[in-house]
Amino acid sequence: MSICIAIAVPDGIALAADSQTTWNQTITQVTQLGTNQLIDLAQPMTIPIGWSKMTRKLFNLKIQDNTYAICIAGAALLNHKTIYSIFKTLEKNYQGDISYDTVVRYFIDGLKAELRKQLNVEDLSTAQTVMSVEFIVSGYVDQDVSKPRIESWLVLSGIVQIQGGGPLTAGELCKWTNIVNGQHTFGGCWIGRTEFISHLVTHNNPQMPPIQGQYELLSLADAVDYTKFLVDFTCDYQRFAAMVPDCGKPIISATLTPEHYDEQIIK
């Protein structure tokens, strides 16, 4: 899994992500002691079997004159290709107009095409295997710092039940956007192992002050520190929790303004 964050503030967009990829093995059967008889498990069990550092989960794409920052989580490979390499191929082959919505639609359709190839289906809702890729796409409209765009998308196969809604059969879902009633708002979202951050920002301990969410008052430097803090918290919480960590350092931190994309590694 992953933890990736993007936050828009008045001076720009701050992003951060962990860099660990975890390989898992899914077990559906076990051998009964004494009889060596195979027994089917009521629920498949996933066991981590290895991991790798410095995976590209946060990176930039250049579409004509516009720069986008992408964060990714979920499946590490599709068709023996990393999600990073899929996005870079999409970047190279893009020929549409440069509007934010058109570019995002192109990314979604590209990921869905890779999923169909992987699972050998025409209709993703008919796939027996549920696979998913989450991504955050950040950019600007008209290269205007006052018009940041951040959206979080889920692309998946099979049919899943959406909490508070019906079954999802379209193979895609916009989970969050900073556009409210047509207005560009300041704020952010996170994907992947979000339960650790949710635990931190929604705590109900009256003796502790809440984590402030007044993004319109943050400088870009504040937002950088904030995103790094949340990713760092997730990684360190997992390190000392009773679990096998699936998020890990170093942290990749970045800023996106209409003029520049800057990235650094935080060890």
Side-chain angles (χ1 to χ4, degrees):
M1 284 295 288
S2 307
I3 182 63
C4 305
I5 304 172
I7 293 176
V9 296
D11 295 337
I13 297 172
L15 310 102
D18 82 299
S19 62
Q20 177 173 306
T21 290
T22 307
W23 297 304
N24 297 313
Q25 180 181 13
T26 301
I27 297 175
T28 60
Q29 294 180 318
V30 295
T31 303
Q32 186 179 40
L33 182 65
T35 67
N36 291 328
Q37 180 181 356
L38 284 177
I39 300 174
D40 292 330
L41 295 176
Q43 295 291 335
M45 182 169 54
T46 301
I47 299 177
I49 59 173
W51 57 87
S52 177
K53 300 291 187 182
M54 291 307 299
T55 301
R56 294 300 301 267
K57 303 180 185 180
L58 169 56
F59 49 90
N60 69 307
L61 300 178
K62 189 79 171 180
I63 303 292
Q64 297 183 30
D65 293 331
N66 291 346
T67 300
Y68 298 86
I70 307 293
C71 300
I72 56 175
L77 297 172
L78 289 178
N79 302 325
H80 307 289
K81 294 178 282 188
T82 65
I83 309 304
Y84 166 76
S85 68
I86 291 172
F87 268 101
K88 295 303 286 186
T89 298
L90 291 172
E91 173 192 40
K92 179 181 178 180
N93 295 333
Y94 187 75
Q95 295 181 344
D97 67 61
I98 60 172
S99 70
Y100 180 95
D101 291 322
T102 302
V103 171
V104 173
R105 169 48 51 192
Y106 173 71
F107 293 154
I108 294 167
D109 290 343
L111 289 172
K112 290 171 77 171
E114 294 291 345
L115 267 176
R116 286 193 290 267
K117 292 177 185 176
Q118 170 87 19
L119 300 170
N120 195 28
V121 296
E122 291 295 325
D123 183 352
L124 287 174
S125 67
T126 65
Q128 299 301 305
T129 302
V130 176
M131 296 184 66
S132 65
V133 176
E134 287 184 276
F135 71 95
I136 300 172
V137 53
S138 306
Y140 293 91
V141 174
D142 300 327
Q143 297 183 335
D144 186 341
V145 73
S146 70
K147 296 179 180 180
R149 284 288 303 267
I150 299 179
E151 287 184 356
S152 168
W153 283 87
L154 173 66
V155 176
L156 76 164
S157 62
I159 298 176
V160 298
Q161 192 72 26
I162 301 299
Q163 186 176 5
L168 177 61
T169 60
E172 64 185 68
L173 175 68
C174 182
K175 299 177 65 178
W176 189 87
T177 178
N178 74 317
I179 302 300
V180 179
N181 297 324
Q183 298 297 314
H184 297 255
T185 62
F186 300 115
C189 60
W190 35 86
I191 59 173
R193 279 290 206 169
T194 59
E195 61 267 35
F196 297 92
I197 295 177
S198 296
H199 168 75
L200 182 66
V201 302
T202 63
H203 74 80
N204 56 8
N205 185 340
Q207 295 180 308
M208 293 184 64
I211 297 292
Q212 72 102 340
Q214 296 176 306
Y215 301 109
E216 68 276 6
L217 300 179
L218 294 181
S219 68
L220 185 56
D222 288 332
V224 169
D225 289 342
Y226 186 58
T227 56
K228 288 191 295 186
F229 164 66
L230 293 178
V231 174
D232 193 64
F233 173 81
T234 300
C235 294
D236 280 349
Y237 194 113
Q238 288 196 357
R239 178 186 172 194
F240 296 110
M243 64 175 292
V244 177
D246 54 15
C247 296
K249 301 177 184 178
I251 294 169
I252 309 302
S253 174
T255 57
L256 177 67
T257 65
E259 296 80 23
H260 299 289
Y261 172 86
D262 293 310
E263 183 180 297
Q264 60 178 321
I265 300 172
I266 312 296
K267 296 184 178 180

